[in-house]
């Protein structure tokens, strides 16, 4: 029984945590892809930037959280989302829009976004240093250990407050995005533009507004994902390093240009990663004892050091088997 | 008074000039029809009027106001709407959402217009919650026209609304065009079915190699032997 | 004739003056080292200029190709580890790779099952199962052997062969990896290649860093032999100058070959594809095959460049490969110099490399001034890690340069000469 609780903790919970983070990143990537038609390589660093915005806010007002009974960083999140959206819109105005107006090929925008990645990286490290930070300044991370009622289950299910907040936030974000895209006029205009940008222009849809809304959504989700991830682990300037590839893999696996596909892709990649590095020896040990097998110490499918290869091979597999992604994205 | 007038416009793609002086004019409440061989520059003329191409020479007036090189957004606000020749519906949006997109710029309620469009095209009302990509060619043309009508335009530009349709659908579309026109909407449309189109046209413009070849009333063009010989198939 | 090249002449004279300036300030030993490194970067940049400049292919994982080139040089040229070959471990390792080989043969065979009328779904299932089995068997049998190698003999050592063999293999293996990636991605959207190359670079690095039995991982391998007499025999300046003449010779040869290829029908076809894919497709040109060729050729040059650089550095350190220095600096060289123009690329490579190396002391100096002024005027106490932050300012500058060049000088300082070809 304990073995299965271990499996639950390290596969189901941690897979869902990282999957939710990837999903939020992939939604932004997929939206930018379908509205502006380029792969936004600065996305992971926008997440880091968002997390640092939260960090600065938390340091400035450390007492807010304890007053409300939530982590300060979480209370500051809405403000950070607004600020990060502004940063995203500003980046677009300064660096991508002029190129778009020159009618460059999409790949040039990809390269410009790499330039932006470095600018963000440089700035974050210039102002915040290269060390790792804790988003809990005046408060502490709460960890819930849930006892199971069965006798054999002495191990506890472990879940932290930031993880619960993350799940809650992800559900609310996805549901509200769904209603925004299907019910509001601007949301429909976004879908129209991703469907047929020329016709959208001809119909009188205000392309600039749609672009700004896209960046606002992407930027807010970046801030949220970056903050919630750093609340759960730690805030590091190279947070983005391990996020970029999984996010792209998630967007492509789900079907580029497809918001629900991005969510699905995020969880697929997240669970695949945690399953791949899970040490199956732990679960098999009781059986092995009974059968008197000799199990190796580690029976993970992929050694933890090679975790980064998992999204890559998922990506390669999907490109070979079904390049349009699971949900058939529009943009190939 | 002319509601839409182009004076000697020149335009093209990139550096290449396709239009070398197009003159067209329709009065409010008139139907103007553009005919001509493939590649004559018919679609290009409409795109140039609608601000999708850069006009290097000449000018365009809408209701007496200069709109040369205005962007589509402004033109829609001024009451002009355009239905392109191809890819003229949002395939992943439902029929009703397509129509709503046509009304994007309207601040007032467009419910009445929506009902009016469904009144013109009853087929669409039954399919209102279906993605436009699942409709037949004729129904798509109706969606496209309906979308353009949602701003209650003063001038409607149509590029080959009957292309590839069965005669039955074709007649229906022509009927609708006439009906819309009766409501006072000026229409400038490109047509391959020249005879039928000139029949309902007040004005006709025959283009060749980016220039006006003949310009006259629809009736006179139909009766002109030279036009008949080279453009109406005898 | 010469007047046509006025821009090139001025720029290269300026570059020459800059080099002389560096020589007089930093001394010959320093400058020759910088020049050798710059020339290695030039080889790599030429590889990128054909991928991006000739064919419009985006490679975001140059680092991986460099690292694999350097690794193969290390493997081929590093002295033989007698302990390893003398122990039974060599044959153990051999049998592990035999299993892998059998697995690969079976996998490749299963892909051909289509010829015998096996349905695609079934075929794919069989292939996937074979891949899984091969992977698990290989990992399981490698693990104990690798552990034994690490604990008993350190690592397997090199083959003790001449350096140039390592360079050749470095290029070939880099080309092979490019073939694999290109084969999968080139038919798809251009962005997918960027994502995939980014991934492959990280994977190569993760592999080289963690396969201690093969590369010593973080312990690094040194000294790597040079193909030319080393500093011990000739002194720093002479030895480096000799190495420099070797790299310069390589650049001349590569340059000559590239210029010919560029003007040959092959190059013309590539540019036609780059500039107008649809019409090239309509002309019945095999777009993806040409692209795959150019992608592989570019990667071969990158592998060779990485190998030459690796030998020169004398140390193989997998964690020393970082995307910034080994991918994006090269991008800056190419787009600043002029993508698709070999002379421009050469100029960009040397110029940017000099600026990059010189910017380190400059950044430190500027931040030192800021620290002192801040202290004197506002009593500001600078953070302790100000120096490492100062170096991050360079990262920002690289990013800014990329975006500014794309916007204001998209063709670089020496733009591609649009050949008026008559077909
Ligand atoms: N996007 C474009 N880029 C470059 N040239 C174009 C483009 N679209 C059309 N052309 C060229 O402009 C010319 C006129 O094209 P246009 O589409 O206006 O013809 P048309 O009269 O509408 O013909 P059709 O009856 O076939 O629709 C043609 O020679 C065509 O090749
Ligand atoms: Mg046309």
């Amino acid at each position: 029984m304990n073995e299965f609780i271990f499996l639950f903790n390290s596969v189901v919970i941690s897979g869902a945590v990282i999957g939710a983070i990837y999903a939020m990143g992939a939604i932004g990537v997929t939206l930018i892809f379908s509205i502006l038609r380029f792969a936004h390589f600065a996305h992971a660093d926008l997440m880091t930037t968002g997390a640092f915005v939260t960090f600065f806010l938390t340091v400035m007002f450390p007492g807010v959280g304890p007053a409300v009974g939530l982590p300060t960083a979480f209370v500051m999140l809405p403000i950070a989302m607004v600020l990060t959206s502004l940063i995203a819109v500003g980046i677009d105005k300064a660096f991508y829009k002029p190129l778009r107006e020159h009618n460059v090929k999409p790949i040039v925008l990809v390269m410009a976004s790499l330039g932006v990645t470095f600018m963000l990286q440089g700035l974050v490290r210039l102002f915040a240093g290269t060390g790792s930070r804790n988003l809990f300044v005046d408060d502490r991370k709460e960890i819930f250990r849930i006892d199971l009622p069965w006798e054999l289950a002495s191990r506890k299910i472990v879940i932290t407050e930031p993880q619960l907040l993350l799940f809650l936030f992800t559900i609310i974000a996805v549901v509200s995005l769904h209603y925004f895209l299907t019910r509001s006029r601007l949301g429909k205009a976004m879908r129209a533009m991703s469907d047929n940008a020329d016709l959208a222009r001809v119909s009188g849809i205000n392309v600039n507004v749609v672009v700004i809304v896209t960046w606002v959504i992407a930027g807010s989700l970046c801030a949220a994902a970056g903050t919630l991830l750093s609340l759960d682990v730690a805030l590091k300037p190279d947070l983005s390093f391990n996020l970029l590839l999984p996010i792209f893999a998630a967007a492509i696996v789900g079907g580029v240009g497809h918001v629900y596909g991005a969510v699905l892709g995020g969880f697929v990649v997240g669970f695949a990663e945690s399953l791949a590095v899970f040490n199956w020896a732990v679960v098999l040990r009781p059986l092995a004892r009974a059968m008197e097998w000799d199990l190796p110490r580690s029976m993970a499918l992929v050694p933890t050091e090679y975790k980064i290869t998992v999204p890559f091979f998922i990506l390669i597999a999907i490109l070979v088997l079904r390049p349009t992604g699971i949900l058939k994205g529009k943009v190939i | 008074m002319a509601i839409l007038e182009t004076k000697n416009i020149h335009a093209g793609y990139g550096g290449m000039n396709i239009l070398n002086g197009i003159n067209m004019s329709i009065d409010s409440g008139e139907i103007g029809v553009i005919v001509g061989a493939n590649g004559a520059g018919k679609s290009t003329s409409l795109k140039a009027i609608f601000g999708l191409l850069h006009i290097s020479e000449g000018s365009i007036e809408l209701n007496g106001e200069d709109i040369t090189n205005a962007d589509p957004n402004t033109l829609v606000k001024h009451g002009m709407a355009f239905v392109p020749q191809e890819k003229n519906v949002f395939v992943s949006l439902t029929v009703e959402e397509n129509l709503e997109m046509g009304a994007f710029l309207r601040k007032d309620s467009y419910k009445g217009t929506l009902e009016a469009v469904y009144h013109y095209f009853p087929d669409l009302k039954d399919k209102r919650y279906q993605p436009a990509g699942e409709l037949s060619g004729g129904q798509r043309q109706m969606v496209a026209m309906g979308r353009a009508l949602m701003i209650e335009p003063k001038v409607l530009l149509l590029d080959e609304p009957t292309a590839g349709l069965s005669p039955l659908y074709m007649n229906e579309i022509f009927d609708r065009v006439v009906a819309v026109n009766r409501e006072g909407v000026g229409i400038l449309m490109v047509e391959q079915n020249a005879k039928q189109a000139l029949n309902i046209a007040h004005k006709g413009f025959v283009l060749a190699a980016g220039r006006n070849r003949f310009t006259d009333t629809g009736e006179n063009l139909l009766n002109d032997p030279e036009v008949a010989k080279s453009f109406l198939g005898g | 004739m010469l007047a046509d090249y006025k821009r090139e002449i001025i720029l290269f004279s300026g570059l020459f003056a800059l080099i002389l300036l560096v020589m007089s300030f930093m001394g010959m030993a320093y400058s020759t080292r910088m020049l050798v490194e710059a020339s290695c970067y030039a080889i790599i940049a030429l590889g990128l200029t054909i991928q991006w400049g000739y064919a419009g292919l985006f490679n975001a994982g140059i680092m991986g190709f460099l690292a694999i080139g350097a690794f193969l040089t290390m493997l081929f040229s590093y002295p033989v580890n007698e302990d390893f070959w003398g122990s039974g471990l060599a044959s153990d390792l051999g049998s592990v790779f035999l299993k892998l080989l059998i697995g690969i043969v079976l996998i490749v065979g299963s892909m051909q099952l289509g010829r015998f009328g096996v349905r695609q779904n079934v075929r794919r299932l069989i292939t996937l199962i074979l891949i899984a089995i091969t992977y698990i068997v290989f990992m399981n049998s490698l693990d104990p052997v690798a552990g034994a190698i690490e604990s008993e003999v350190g690592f397997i050592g090199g083959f003790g062969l001449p350096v140039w063999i390592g360079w050749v293999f470095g290029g070939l293996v880099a080309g092979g990896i490019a073939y694999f990636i290109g084969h999968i991605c080139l038919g798809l959207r251009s962005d997918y290649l960027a994502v995939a190359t980014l991934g492959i670079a990280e994977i190569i690095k993760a592999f080289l860093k963690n396969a201690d039995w093969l590369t010593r991982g973080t312990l690094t391998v040194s000294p790597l032999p040079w193909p030319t007499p080393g500093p011990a025999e000739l002194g720093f300046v002479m030895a480096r100058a000799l190495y420099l003449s070797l790299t310069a010779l390589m650049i001349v040869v590569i340059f000559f070959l590239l210029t010919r290829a560029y003007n040959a029908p092959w190059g013309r076809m590539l540019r036609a594809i780059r500039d107008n894919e649809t019409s090239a497709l309509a002309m019945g040109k095999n777009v993806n095959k040409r692209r795959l060729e150019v992608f592989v050729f570019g990667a071969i040059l990158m592998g060779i460049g990485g190998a030459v650089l690796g030998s020169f550095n004398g140390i193989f350190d997998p964690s020393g490969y970082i995307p910034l220095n080994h991918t994006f600096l090269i991008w800056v060289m190419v787009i600043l110099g002029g993508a698709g123009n070999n002379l421009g690329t050469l100029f960009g490579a040397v110029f940017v490399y000099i600026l990059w190396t010189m910017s380190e002391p400059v950044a430190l100096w500027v931040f030192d001034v800021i620290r002192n002024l801040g202290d004197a005027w506002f009593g500001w106490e600078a953070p302790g890690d100000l120096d490492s932050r100062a170096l991050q300012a360079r990262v920002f500058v690289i990013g800014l340069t990329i975006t500014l060049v794309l916007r204001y000088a998209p063709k670089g300082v020496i733009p591609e000469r649009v050949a008026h070809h008559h077909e």
Side-chain angles (χ1 to χ4, degrees), chain B residues 109-232:
Chain B
S109 163
Y110 51 82
K111 286 281 175 282
T113 322
L114 197 63
E115 283 316 313
V117 168
Y118 284 141
H119 180 72
Y120 277 127
F121 305 110
D123 282 16
L124 297 187
K125 191 160 190 174
D126 307 334
K127 311 251 172 194
R128 63 205 289 181
Y129 300 123
Q130 207 167 322
E134 294 174 5
L135 302 184
S136 73
Q139 290 165 337
R140 282 192 204 200
Q141 278 304 343
M142 293 177 186
V143 174
M145 260 176 81
R147 193 218 81 232
L149 288 174
M150 288 299 292
I151 49 151
E152 301 191 342
K154 289 191 287 237
V155 178
L156 179 60
L157 311 181
L158 299 173
D159 197 344
E160 301 202 17
T162 65
L165 300 189
S166 69
L168 196 71
Y169 260 130
M170 199 165 79
N171 287 335
E172 177 154 1
I173 297 277
F174 275 126
D175 278 357
R176 297 303 143 210
V177 170
V178 172
V180 169
N181 173 251
R182 292 237 168 87
E183 306 277 312
V185 180
I187 291 179
L188 181 60
M189 70 177 195
V190 173
E191 258 304 330
Q192 290 290 2
N193 304 300
K195 270 189 196 163
Q196 231 165 331
L198 288 174
N199 250 324
I200 61 165
H202 303 94
K203 297 242 177 75
F205 312 97
V206 182
L207 306 191
R211 284 202 173 79
N212 291 56
R213 190 60 196 286
F214 301 97
T215 309
D216 212 326
T217 62
E219 205 183 329
N220 287 351
L221 287 176
L222 273 176
N223 298 328
D224 185 327
E226 210 180 328
V227 175
K229 201 175 84 200
S230 39
F231 294 99
L232 305 180

Side-chain angles (χ1 to χ4, degrees), chain A residues 77-202:
Chain A
L77 185 55
I79 308 176
M81 284 164 69
V82 172
L83 293 177
T84 313
S85 308
L86 290 180
I87 295 175
V89 173
I91 288 173
D92 182 67
K93 276 238 152 55
F95 301 109
Y96 305 144
K97 196 166 178 229
L99 290 174
R100 274 204 303 278
E101 283 168 356
H102 267 89
N103 283 324
V104 299
K105 291 188 179 157
I107 201 74
V108 175
L109 283 163
V110 176
M111 203 192 303
S113 72
L114 279 168
V116 170
T117 286
F118 285 117
M119 290 163 63
L120 291 177
Q121 266 178 25
L123 282 183
V124 163
R125 286 165 209 207
L126 192 59
F127 286 111
T130 46
S132 133
R133 309 264 175 177
N134 191 347
L135 267 185
F136 288 93
V137 178
D138 250 17
D139 33 17
R140 279 185 44 229
K141 182 174 348 190
E142 268 200 68
I143 300 172
F144 306 107
R145 290 171 215 281
I146 304 163
D147 252 325
L148 288 180
W150 301 295
E151 224 175 278
L152 281 172
S154 57
R155 198 185 263 273
K156 297 178 172 70
I157 288 182
V158 181
I159 190 162
T160 66
E161 189 184 11
Q163 288 171 344
L164 285 177
L165 292 173
L166 168 67
F167 294 144
L168 198 69
F169 185 92
T170 313
I171 293 169
I172 294 174
V174 172
V175 170
S176 24
L177 189 61
H178 171 83
Y179 279 104
F180 174 73
L181 288 175
T182 51
R183 299 292 154 87
S184 78
R185 195 193 278 210
L186 257 176
K188 289 176 195 172
M190 272 180 80
R191 281 165 51 220
M193 201 167 144
S194 104
D195 183 317
N196 186 338
D198 292 333
L199 188 61
R201 206 157 91 94
V202 164

Side-chain angles (χ1 to χ4, degrees), chain C residues 60-357:
Chain C
I62 304 170
M63 173 188 88
F65 299 103
L66 302 200
I68 206 77
F71 161 66
L72 278 141
T73 318
M74 185 277 278
L75 184 66
F76 276 84
S77 66
Y78 196 73
V80 173
N81 182 352
E82 302 294 350
D83 292 347
F84 168 70
W85 294 103
S87 68
L89 290 169
S91 59
D92 291 350
L93 192 61
S95 69
V96 172
F97 277 94
L98 194 65
K99 284 181 198 159
L100 178 64
L101 193 69
I102 294 172
I104 290 176
V105 169
L106 286 176
I107 291 168
V108 173
S110 75
M111 291 184 197
Q112 310 297 325
L113 280 177
R115 296 187 191 173
F116 303 101
V118 180
R119 283 217 325 276
Q120 192 195 34
N121 284 345
V122 181
R123 198 178 74 217
R124 279 185 171 164
L125 190 69
I126 296 177
T127 310
L128 281 181
I129 291 174
L130 280 176
I131 291 178
I133 293 176
T134 310
Y135 173 77
I136 290 173
V137 170
F138 175 68
M139 288 299 278
N140 266 330
S141 47
L142 179 65
D143 218 36
V145 180
I149 293 176
E150 280 161 30
S151 59
E152 288 168 32
V153 297
F155 81 125
I156 66 167
F159 299 156
L161 294 169
V163 176
W164 63 267
I165 297 184
W167 293 2
V168 169
F169 273 87
L172 290 180
V173 174
I177 292 172
Y179 181 83
F180 168 73
I181 292 285
H183 191 70
I184 292 172
C185 297
L186 280 178
L188 306 169
R189 264 188 75 101
S190 48
D191 325 52
Y192 287 7
L193 184 69
V195 179
T197 44
L198 187 80
I200 199 85
E202 290 309 332
I203 287 180
I204 290 175
K205 184 173 164 176
F207 170 72
L208 294 177
K209 210 164 116 182
N210 292 303
D212 287 17
W213 58 276
L214 191 60
T215 65
R216 283 183 25 123
T218 45
L219 293 178
T220 74
V221 182
S222 65
L224 303 184
W226 282 14
T228 52
E233 293 142 65
L234 296 176
F236 278 112
V237 179
M238 273 317 287
R240 286 172 183 171
L242 200 59
Y243 204 104
L244 181 61
S245 43
L246 180 65
T247 55
L249 183 71
M250 291 174 71
I251 291 178
V252 170
V253 173
I254 292 169
F255 208 86
F256 173 73
L257 293 176
L258 284 188
T259 312
R260 283 197 42 174
Y262 182 84
N263 294 314
W266 183 79
R268 247 183 284 148
M269 195 183 293
L270 274 175
R271 289 194 301 280
I273 292 172
R274 175 195 62 189
D275 296 336
N276 194 341
E277 186 172 330
T278 357
S279 75
L281 265 176
M283 282 188 273
K285 298 187 169 170
N286 195 338
V287 173
N288 285 331
K289 188 141 177 270
R290 290 291 94 75
R291 283 185 171 157
L292 188 58
E293 282 165 12
V294 87
F295 190 61
V296 170
F297 284 151
I300 290 177
L301 286 184
M302 292 170 185
I304 294 177
V308 178
L309 185 62
S311 295
F312 180 73
N313 288 338
I315 179 169
F316 179 71
D317 175 14
S319 14
Y321 287 92
I322 50 175
L324 182 67
N325 284 5
H326 297 101
T327 296
F328 297 106
L329 199 56
I330 296 159
W331 269 104
V332 176
M333 293 170 178
V334 169
I335 58 175
L336 186 81
N341 182 318
N342 299 339
L343 265 183
T345 304
L346 197 60
F347 172 83
V350 178
F351 179 70
V352 170
Y353 193 72
I354 294 177
L355 281 198
W356 177 249
T357 8

Side-chain angles (χ1 to χ4, degrees), chain B residues 13 16 18 36-45 47 85 160 192:
Chain B
Y13 304 91
M16 202 172 29
I18 302 286
N38 292 114
K42 305 183 296 290
S43 300
T44 309
S45 303
K47 286 187 217 159
Q85 182 171 353
E160 301 202 17
Q192 290 290 2

